[in-house]
Amino acid sequence: MGKELLGYKGAKPVFLLVALCTVAQSLAIILQAKWLAEVISALFSGSSPYQQAGEIGWFLLAFLARHVISMLQQRLAQRFAEETGSDLRQRLLAALFQRGPAAVRTEGTGNVVTLVLDGIGKFRKYAELVIPRMLGVGITPILVWLYVFATDRISGLILLVTMPILIAFLILVGLAARKQTEKQLGSYRVLSNHFVDSLRGLETLKYLGQSAGHSRSIKQVSEGYRKATMRTLRVAFLSSFSLDFFTMLSVATVAVNLGLRLINGSLELLPALTVLVLAPEYFLPVRMLGADFHATLDGRQAGLAMQSMIREAEAESGATPLPDTKQPAAGEQKRPPQAQGPQRYAIGNANGGSSGLPRKAGKGPAAPPIGKSFAWETDSLLRLTGIGKRYEDGGRASLEGIDLQIRGRRKVGIVGESGAGKSTLIDLLGGFVQASEGTISLDGVPMSDADRRAWREQITYMPQHPYLFSCSLEDNVKFYAPDASRAEVVQAVETAGLSKLVASLPQGLDEHIGGGGRALSGGQAQRVALARALLGNRPVLLLDEPTAHLDIETEYELKETMLPLFRDKWVFLATHRLHWMPHMDYIIVLDAGRVAETGTHGELMARRGVYYQLITSQMEGVL
Amino acid sequence: MKQESWLMPYATAHIWRFVLIAVLGILTVLFAGALMFTSGYLISKSALRPENILMVYVPVVGVRTFGIGRAVIHYVERLVGHDTILRILSQMRLRLYNLLEPQALRLSSRYRTGDLLGVLAEDIERLQDVYIRTVFPAVTALVMYGGIVAALGAFDPGFAVLIGLYVCLLVFVLPLISLLLTKRKNRAIKQQRSALYRKLTDAVLGLNEWFVSGRQEQFLRGYEEDEAEVDRTDRQLKRWARWRGLIAQGVVALTVISVLYWTGQRHGEGMLDVTLIAAFVLAVFPLMDAFLPLSDAVEKIPHYEESLARLRAIEAGNARGGLAGAAYDRESVENRNRSGMQHAAKLDLAKNARFLSDAGAGVHILVRDVSYRYEKESLSALATAEEEGLERETRYAVRGLSMDIPPGSKVAVIGRSGAGKSTLLKLLQGVISPSAGSVTLDGSPADHYGDGMASFISVLNQSPHLFDTTLENNIRLGRHDATAEEVDEAVRLARLGPLVQSLPAGLKTRMQEAGQRFSGGERQRVALARILLQNTPVVILDEPTVGLDPKTERDLLSTIFSSLHGRTLIWVTHHLVGIEQMDEIVFMDEGEITMRGTHAELLQRSSRYRRLYQLDRPGVM
């Protein structure tokens, strides 16, 4: 445990300093015990406390030194944890925002957010505790023991024997607890989820007329959960019990043993007292580690999970390695800039290491050194050669052997059954995911990994559920063009058919929408996305099933609004709703990851192939 | 104070357990102190070299007893503590459920998404810390404080006062200062954290947009600035915690030295046996340990406030009875909170009603000239400041609506979002009562049915919840006492047969384990099987096919129509696929019916209908 921490930036100096603190602290502990024992034994032999003022002063000094050092040590560890945590978070976010939606799709939004926020917190706690605790266990008992042994051999031997027994028991109990937990892991999960599951399904229960009776089941399951938890805790608490038990037992043994030898006259009071004061200190670091061990375990897990996400992002984005643990982001600036090339620079920006959050106000497409510019001209040639995509190695291909050539500004429809690969093709065209094989090129310039970003900046993407940010309607519309003027926004809003909505909002364009704001209907959200696309004024428009979920009247109206806006763009529209197809210049029909046929609506209907099948199946009535 | 109502009742209900925990907590500390006290006494006594080893027999036994006893008692204390907390959690869960259950259908859709409900469930979990981290340590410390001062007072009242003052610093002064100093910062940090949470969730949900926009750095920079702000506050809090620790240790040092002087002096005056010097001094350390965690315990208080506030809000919302709800609901809430008995009786009534309705031919639904307008959001107590903008406008959600739905007829309802479709459904289910006009089922007002409504109307909506249990249990939710044959029949009618056969565990497959294997269409079929068991004369289909591809949509509709043959269907739909099967099609806009008729009539009469119909029939163009 804790080894991987040393890989983090600045870990080694912290490790050394904390070790130094631990040694100093151990010395203070020994001195504190020594002087306290001296004072007590002097008082015992009849000396007045006022005569002992000097010794008492020394004791006070040692005692305070111990705690001041402890404070310094905590501060060191806390700063280190804070910095390491921030660093990890920055790299994780950079990776996330670089790798893009694919990462979130595999991990789930909730998981990603929890990992970044709670995960970093837990990781910090782990990073803060683990170094002092580990060093504490490694250094303090040894030094304390050496002093005890030098003072009184027999007590030293008692303490020496107890420690391995204690640790052996700790391991045994730990194993038993793990076995116990594993045994009921499945039922445990169900029990603990039951309540949340019930609340989430409350509406359904109500419809089924079962909600009132369900409270009985909640009670039963809660009780079952309590019993299962207690069974686990009975074993789990044994580990701290065994720590306590052996510590207390061995302190008691040392005390009784000292007493007997004092009666014999083979020992003086002073060494006996010193040993008695030091005995609990000998075990303290182990007990502290035991207490914090479980609290830090999930922090370690979180750290590892984040590391692996960063690594995956590196693998996915290929050409742009993120700084690893041993090569902090700051180091990147030191590399010769010419070796990185312009694209690297661009992505280094997104990367934004600890030292180098980018310097310019990120105004997207205007940034000069962004690499090759992909110009989607009226007569450009888009070529896909041998494109294939597998999401898992050896898994089923979502797309396979796609060869397509599309010349000139076109409206392209992409159709096919569910799972035919429509969305994957859109994702590839958008540069959101990387093709497993083959290349996509525009006018002979291939979209390589390095300039996927430049590629993306030519593109507007409208998914089925466009995301509305939690901010004003105007800022939502200006998302691609933050510098647009109010007049331009008003124009875009009007063209997208939102004027009526804006007029009905109390705050107009400044109305807060998205999370925590006014809820918009699916159709209105699509119109906001449309206005956003209009203002962004990028040459390519990717649409992934934009209207299927809408009610038919809204769909009809939205289609009427959208069709004229397609006129001057490259449009790629993937949908099940075939009524769009007669308006397309070119239709790609996908079947099980391959191109089944291409052509216009008329051509494909005449051909009576896959497309014709799709159309006719939708013409049949239900039943 | 209302705030206590989530904490106090449980303390009183479990008073003897609480007393036991406190006693055990105190014994743990006392034993630790006694161990060092007896040890000190033992070696001092031994150093006097008594004639007989039996002279130290009692302290020898004492040292061993206290040593082992402390470990055992602490173990028992922790177990009893957690057991009690888990008992309380059980009760809190039940209470929260009973609070939410009556309002389940009235919670505005935002709250129903499940996220907020999940948060509430977490709040309950968080409250366990109130007891374990704050209440129990505080009680232990206070009792110990009183005990120590009293015990010392018997020896030397003056010195007892001095020690009383020292410990007062640890028990009252330092925690109070700590609370005052950190309260605002703790709250600020909590707010900042939840702001970060919102910001990041927003960004991650909109990651596609950031990704395409090329403005990622801008976001990251802004986000890191906010994080740095939180870190700064956090650093200040931690710095204070370190200083507080040092100050507390300073007090410990002061106490030790005072005890040294006191014992020395008393011994000098012949008032204290020489063997007690070491005993007293050594006992100081373990005893002071009882007081050290108090500042931390008190500082935690602001952490619970938010959770408590949310739970309180739910309760307040309920106390107001849900303005939109009928008086009936308020009554039933109270009934349920008091006793489960009446509750069960009501359920039986509902069951009888079901069998009656089974015998009958069905239900005749009449909607006569109904209007409904929403009052201000009935659950605004749940809304935080930022959600204030959400208050519903008080315009009519439906207006002058009339429908005659005889048993076994099929009605389709079509309209844009906000056209009043959901309000119509709520009126039919009796969840809300019409502001004007009447909704009746076989002549009785819909809002009089209460929980019995589930015997008459079942609902298949867009995302029926499938519970984390077996497939069979999910289906059986429709009717618990269904026979195996009935379940099989429902599975067959919902055309789940092939799917069930393909699963190794068949109907015993757990939903979670199957995970992604259940597609949207399959999930709807499971819910359909459930509704078939529920066997109501009326079925509401609330856009069950949204999000399904055309093929699945068709297949599912075909299954729905054939399996529910003969029932009354009220079908809210977004597409016109399958519309030919309906007896009446109703178009709604802004709360009113704008167009109605059969498919054939509309096709003939309305060019608008023809245009819409073409969207689902692309070949016609």
Side-chain angles (χ1 to χ4, degrees):
Chain A
M1 175 183 184
K3 278 232 173 69
E4 82 277 359
L5 261 187
L6 285 180
Y8 287 100
K9 180 176 60 155
K12 276 171 194 151
V14 170
F15 192 82
L16 274 177
L17 282 173
V18 171
L20 220 62
C21 284
T22 311
V23 171
Q25 201 184 14
S26 307
L27 293 178
I29 288 171
I30 293 167
L31 290 175
Q32 166 205 331
K34 175 178 176 290
W35 279 313
L36 183 64
E38 278 176 10
V39 174
I40 295 175
S41 100
L43 292 180
F44 184 81
S45 42
S47 156
S48 133
Y50 300 101
Q51 290 166 328
Q52 294 300 318
E55 263 71 29
I56 290 179
W58 284 116
F59 159 73
L60 183 64
L61 205 67
F63 185 91
L64 289 181
R66 170 191 185 170
H67 291 287
V68 169
I69 294 168
S70 155
M71 197 172 104
L72 288 176
Q73 188 180 304
Q74 282 170 22
R75 184 170 181 273
L76 268 171
Q78 188 254 317
R79 285 291 156 85
F80 166 68
E82 188 186 313
E83 274 161 31
T84 313
S86 301
D87 191 46
L88 194 60
R89 182 188 56 233
Q90 281 169 21
R91 279 169 37 218
L92 180 64
L93 282 179
L96 205 64
F97 276 71
Q98 186 178 6
R99 187 179 164 200
V104 178
R105 229 171 276 165
T106 42
E107 306 283 338
T109 309
N111 283 345
V112 167
V113 174
T114 314
L115 196 61
V116 173
L117 285 163
D118 300 348
I120 289 289
K122 286 177 183 158
F123 173 78
R124 276 181 173 169
K125 192 169 175 195
Y126 159 71
E128 183 176 341
L129 288 176
V130 79
I131 294 181
R133 293 292 176 270
M134 283 303 189
L135 289 170
V137 168
I139 296 174
T140 310
I142 295 176
L143 292 179
V144 170
W145 182 81
L146 281 174
Y147 189 79
V148 170
F149 189 71
T151 316
D152 176 39
R153 270 159 207 255
I154 296 176
S155 300
L157 286 177
I158 294 176
L159 291 183
L160 188 64
V161 172
T162 323
M163 190 62 100
I165 299 177
L166 190 152
I167 288 170
F169 259 79
L170 211 56
I171 291 171
L172 278 179
V173 169
L175 288 178
R178 191 193 293 170
K179 212 170 137 198
Q180 173 84 11
T181 318
E182 272 166 10
K183 208 169 65 188
Q184 44 187 0
L185 202 65
S187 62
Y188 209 67
R189 190 188 57 78
V190 172
L191 290 174
S192 67
N193 278 345
H194 180 266
F195 185 57
V196 179
D197 196 36
S198 302
L199 288 189
R200 285 176 187 263
L202 193 52
E203 192 189 20
T204 302
L205 282 173
K206 191 90 179 174
Y207 286 146
L208 290 167
Q210 305 286 354
S211 60
H214 192 70
S215 60
R216 244 171 309 160
S217 144
I218 293 210
K219 200 170 168 184
Q220 270 167 19
V221 172
S222 276
E223 281 300 288
Y225 180 57
R226 176 178 67 82
K227 283 175 191 147
T229 312
M230 288 313 294
R231 268 198 299 278
T232 314
L233 287 184
R234 270 198 283 277
V235 181
F237 286 170
L238 274 181
S239 68
S240 70
F241 167 74
S242 60
L243 272 175
D244 271 8
F245 183 80
F246 283 103
T247 308
M248 293 297 166
L249 192 66
S250 93
V251 171
T253 311
V254 166
V256 171
N257 181 275
L258 289 171
L260 295 181
R261 281 186 292 138
L262 280 167
I263 295 178
N264 284 342
S266 58
L267 194 68
E268 295 295 313
L269 180 63
L270 178 61
L273 267 175
T274 315
V275 169
L276 190 60
V277 174
L278 278 177
E281 303 286 0
Y282 171 72
F283 293 105
L284 190 63
V286 184
R287 294 173 67 190
M288 281 168 80
L289 179 68
D292 291 331
F293 183 71
H294 290 283
T296 58
L297 266 190
D298 48 353
R300 177 161 186 256
Q301 292 305 330
L304 294 177
M306 283 182 268
Q307 291 281 7
S308 88
M309 233 168 112
I310 294 171
R311 263 196 302 279
E312 268 174 56
E314 280 168 21
E316 174 74 21
S317 60
T320 54
L322 287 155
D324 64 14
T325 43
K326 289 185 182 135
Q327 232 158 7
E332 206 174 32
Q333 314 290 311
K334 290 176 201 142
R335 274 183 235 155
Q338 58 271 35
Q340 297 184 20
Q343 297 90 20
R344 181 69 62 82
Y345 169 77
I347 295 175
N349 254 358
N351 205 345
S354 61
S355 74
L357 278 171
R359 357 5 12 218
K360 63 187 164 46
K363 223 196 104 189
I370 282 252
K372 297 156 201 144
S373 58
F374 295 99
W376 293 74
E377 302 295 346
T378 315
D379 56 348
S380 288
L381 176 69
L382 174 73
R383 189 198 292 261
L384 281 71
T385 351
I387 287 287
K389 176 69 190 170
R390 271 171 224 278
Y391 284 98
E392 290 155 34
D393 287 336
R396 200 179 66 87
S398 300
L399 282 178
E400 215 171 1
I402 305 289
D403 288 298
L404 286 170
Q405 285 194 39
I406 301 166
R407 177 173 285 287
R409 192 174 276 167
R410 287 244 178 144
K411 288 178 284 216
V412 180
I414 302 169
V415 299
E417 301 251 351
S418 287
K422 299 190 294 293
S423 294
T424 306
L425 186 54
I426 289 282
D427 284 349
L428 284 169
L429 285 171
F432 305 142
V433 298
Q434 201 179 5
S436 317
E437 54 210 44
T439 50
I440 301 179
S441 64
L442 186 74
D443 290 332
V445 184
M447 167 174 70
S448 65
D449 308 326
D451 40 43
R452 279 202 288 157
R453 184 188 168 100
W455 177 282
R456 283 201 303 269
E457 280 168 1
Q458 302 294 305
I459 283 169
T460 309
Y461 174 62
M462 278 180 69
Q464 179 164 18
H465 299 281
Y467 189 71
L468 301 182
F469 290 95
S470 174
C471 56
S472 74
L473 177 57
E474 177 169 4
D475 287 342
N476 261 293
V477 171
K478 287 204 308 197
F479 193 77
Y480 289 140
D483 300 327
S485 70
R486 186 74 177 226
E488 289 171 307
V489 173
V490 171
Q491 178 62 39
V493 161
E494 197 184 325
T495 318
L498 277 171
S499 304
K500 206 176 143 211
L501 172 74
V502 171
S504 77
L505 297 174
Q507 315 264 342
L509 277 172
D510 297 322
E511 185 82 6
H512 187 116
I513 61 170
R518 177 170 295 265
L520 298 189
S521 72
Q524 288 164 340
Q526 283 293 1
R527 287 183 191 277
V528 173
L530 201 59
R532 197 185 272 169
L534 282 171
L535 205 56
N537 197 23
R538 296 178 175 187
V540 187
L541 189 55
L542 300 179
L543 301 108
D544 193 355
E545 201 66 270
T547 58
H549 62 300
L550 301 174
D551 68 274
I552 199 142
E553 291 170 282
T554 307
E555 182 176 23
Y556 182 81
E557 288 158 4
L558 198 61
K559 188 180 170 191
E560 296 294 296
T561 313
M562 279 165 98
L563 281 175
L565 304 178
F566 286 175
R567 207 162 292 140
D568 301 322
K569 305 251 184 232
W570 282 79
V571 174
F572 296 89
L573 171 71
T575 185
H576 284 300
R577 303 289 285 165
L578 299 178
H579 61 77
W580 286 99
M581 292 308 116
H583 307 282
M584 297 287 124
D585 304 324
Y586 185 71
I587 301 168
I588 302 170
V589 185
L590 293 174
D591 189 27
R594 292 177 170 277
V595 177
E597 48 192 14
T598 56
T600 64
H601 176 71
E603 288 165 14
L604 291 171
M605 284 302 279
R607 218 171 134 166
R608 306 205 151 228
V610 179
Y611 183 76
Y612 180 78
Q613 289 290 327
L614 283 173
I615 292 270
T616 46
S617 79
Q618 292 198 9
M619 292 297 290
E620 291 161 15
V622 167
L623 207 68
Chain B
M1 233 170 87
K2 259 230 142 150
Q3 176 164 347
E4 289 168 344
S5 67
W6 275 94
L7 297 176
M8 275 313 282
Y10 303 103
T12 26
H14 294 271
I15 187 70
W16 290 111
R17 285 174 180 280
F18 272 63
V19 169
L20 180 64
I21 294 163
V23 169
L24 289 170
I26 291 158
L27 279 180
T28 307
V29 180
L30 277 183
F31 270 46
L35 171 65
M36 290 319 280
F37 186 89
T38 350
S39 303
Y41 174 75
L42 170 65
I43 59 170
S44 307
K45 185 86 182 160
S46 305
L48 295 175
R49 311 202 47 190
E51 302 287 303
N52 194 329
I53 203 158
L54 284 178
M55 297 286 287
V56 292
Y57 182 71
V58 173
V60 164
V61 173
V63 164
R64 286 181 179 147
T65 312
F66 292 132
I68 296 168
R70 143 117 235 270
V72 175
I73 291 173
H74 186 51
Y75 175 69
V76 175
E77 179 213 343
R78 288 181 75 190
L79 281 184
V80 176
H82 279 85
D83 185 60
T84 309
I85 294 309
L86 288 169
R87 279 170 201 273
I88 292 176
L89 282 190
S90 274
Q91 292 169 340
M92 283 184 173
R93 286 196 199 105
L94 196 61
R95 175 167 162 197
L96 177 61
Y97 181 82
N98 285 338
L99 276 173
L100 286 172
E101 191 266 327
Q103 21 180 356
L105 298 182
R106 283 199 309 274
L107 293 171
S108 76
S109 56
R110 292 175 59 79
Y111 301 123
R112 244 188 286 138
T113 54
D115 294 337
L116 187 95
L117 298 177
V119 170
L120 286 172
E122 277 171 31
D123 283 336
I124 294 269
E125 305 293 313
R126 200 164 297 143
L127 286 186
Q128 64 182 309
D129 285 353
V130 175
Y131 296 105
I132 290 195
R133 299 255 160 89
T134 304
V135 175
F136 296 156
V139 169
T140 308
L142 285 177
V143 176
M144 284 299 302
Y145 180 36
I148 287 175
V149 172
L152 274 178
F155 275 95
D156 180 348
F159 186 63
V161 170
L162 183 67
I163 293 295
L165 282 177
Y166 288 156
V167 179
C168 176
L169 286 177
L170 293 182
V171 175
F172 297 109
V173 179
L174 211 49
L176 210 66
I177 292 175
S178 196
L179 189 63
L180 287 177
L181 276 177
T182 60
K183 201 170 180 180
R184 214 157 28 113
K185 288 219 170 77
N186 265 322
R187 256 189 220 144
I189 220 169
K190 209 155 176 171
Q191 271 165 16
Q192 285 167 336
R193 283 239 167 86
S194 57
L196 278 178
Y197 184 85
R198 280 197 300 273
K199 192 167 182 175
L200 190 62
T201 310
D202 200 41
V204 171
L205 285 171
L207 194 55
N208 250 322
E209 308 291 333
W210 284 109
F211 200 56
V212 170
S213 75
R215 290 169 58 205
Q216 294 105 311
E217 307 87 25
Q218 212 175 324
F219 169 76
L220 288 177
R221 194 172 40 222
Y223 182 79
E224 281 303 323
E225 275 166 17
D226 291 357
E227 280 274 7
E229 181 73 28
V230 177
D231 285 349
R232 226 181 343 266
T233 321
D234 192 47
R235 215 177 300 142
Q236 285 165 351
L237 281 173
K238 287 207 163 119
R239 186 187 305 140
W240 162 244
R242 285 195 301 266
W243 276 105
R244 194 186 60 205
L246 189 66
I247 294 169
Q249 291 296 344
V251 176
V252 173
L254 215 58
T255 314
V256 171
I257 290 170
S258 303
V259 172
L260 275 173
Y261 274 95
W262 178 69
T263 47
Q265 216 166 3
R266 297 280 288 183
H267 172 58
E269 294 161 8
M271 309 266 290
L272 190 80
D273 192 74
V274 68
T275 52
L276 291 180
I277 299 176
F280 272 108
V281 175
L282 291 185
V284 170
F285 294 100
L287 289 181
M288 293 304 265
D289 276 349
F291 307 120
L292 293 180
L294 213 61
S295 294
D296 208 36
V298 170
E299 208 187 280
K300 291 242 156 55
I301 290 174
H303 289 277
Y304 314 128
E305 280 173 349
E306 199 181 320
S307 300
L308 275 174
R310 249 194 307 264
L311 291 170
R312 236 173 24 232
I314 288 279
E315 207 151 32
N318 222 14
R320 262 183 269 150
L323 295 172
Y328 159 82
D329 287 298
R330 205 173 308 151
E331 233 163 69
S332 78
V333 170
E334 282 156 17
N335 280 347
R336 253 166 241 159
N337 286 347
R338 290 215 189 98
S339 77
M341 293 294 290
Q342 298 168 359
H343 195 45
K346 204 186 289 168
L347 216 76
D348 282 347
L349 267 180
K351 263 202 191 114
N352 290 336
R354 188 211 320 273
F355 292 122
L356 286 178
S357 79
D358 260 359
V363 178
H364 193 141
I365 303 176
L366 264 180
V367 178
R368 256 192 241 114
D369 206 20
V370 162
S371 298
Y372 183 82
R373 92 201 282 174
Y374 280 96
E375 304 289 330
K376 288 236 164 169
E377 185 68 22
S378 61
L379 250 167
S380 60
L382 263 184
T384 51
E386 64 183 271
E387 281 156 0
E388 267 168 24
L390 266 181
E391 287 167 15
R392 300 240 179 119
E393 298 128 73
T394 50
R395 69 176 172 83
Y396 281 99
V398 300
R399 185 174 222 167
L401 220 60
S402 289
M403 292 169 93
D404 181 359
I405 311 174
S409 65
K410 302 187 173 85
V411 184
V413 181
I414 298 165
R416 294 187 187 82
S417 74
K421 293 168 296 179
S422 340
T423 308
L424 172 63
L425 294 186
K426 279 188 187 167
L427 284 164
L428 290 174
Q429 290 173 273
V431 176
I432 51 176
S433 315
S435 316
S438 68
V439 182
T440 57
L441 275 71
D442 279 347
S444 312
D447 53 354
H448 284 191
Y449 281 74
D451 280 354
M453 187 56 102
S455 316
F456 298 97
I457 298 182
S458 51
V459 180
L460 183 64
N461 60 9
Q462 219 183 99
S463 49
H465 189 83
L466 297 183
F467 292 86
D468 179 16
T469 169
T470 61
L471 197 53
E472 179 174 357
N473 284 343
N474 264 296
I475 295 174
R476 272 183 184 278
L477 272 177
R479 180 147 44 98
H480 285 301
D481 53 6
T483 62
E485 289 76 43
E486 285 175 310
V487 173
D488 287 345
E489 177 69 3
V491 166
R492 192 185 63 79
L493 284 173
R495 292 183 204 159
L496 273 170
L499 172 72
V500 172
Q501 272 154 29
S502 76
L503 299 168
L507 278 174
K508 302 285 181 206
T509 309
R510 295 196 71 94
M511 300 307 292
Q512 288 288 316
E513 284 163 30
Q516 301 295 322
R517 262 192 292 172
F518 287 96
S519 67
E522 286 160 355
R523 296 172 70 86
Q524 288 291 4
R525 279 169 199 277
V526 175
L528 176 63
R530 192 150 74 182
I531 279 170
L532 289 172
L533 277 189
Q534 199 182 350
N535 193 23
T536 56
V538 182
V539 179
I540 288 176
L541 304 168
D542 189 0
E543 305 202 337
T545 59
V546 167
L548 302 180
D549 66 80
K551 192 166 176 299
T552 315
E553 181 175 24
R554 254 153 224 286
D555 293 348
L556 180 65
L557 284 176
S558 135
T559 312
I560 290 176
F561 291 153
S562 67
S563 62
L564 294 176
H565 185 74
R567 321 269 176 100
T568 306
L569 292 187
I570 297 160
W571 178 31
V572 174
T573 177
H574 69 305
H575 285 166
L576 295 178
V577 181
I579 204 81
E580 306 85 356
Q581 309 235 350
M582 296 287 116
D583 299 326
E584 186 178 25
I585 303 163
V586 173
F587 278 82
M588 288 182 71
D589 196 16
E590 309 212 324
E592 293 175 38
I593 294 179
T594 51
M595 184 158 73
R596 67 199 298 174
T598 64
H599 173 63
E601 282 166 14
L602 290 173
L603 208 53
Q604 204 196 1
R605 199 172 62 201
S606 160
S607 63
R608 174 173 150 75
Y609 185 77
R610 277 197 295 278
R611 271 203 310 272
L612 294 177
Y613 189 62
Q614 270 175 3
L615 287 188
D616 280 314
R617 302 271 164 154
V620 181
M621 300 203 185

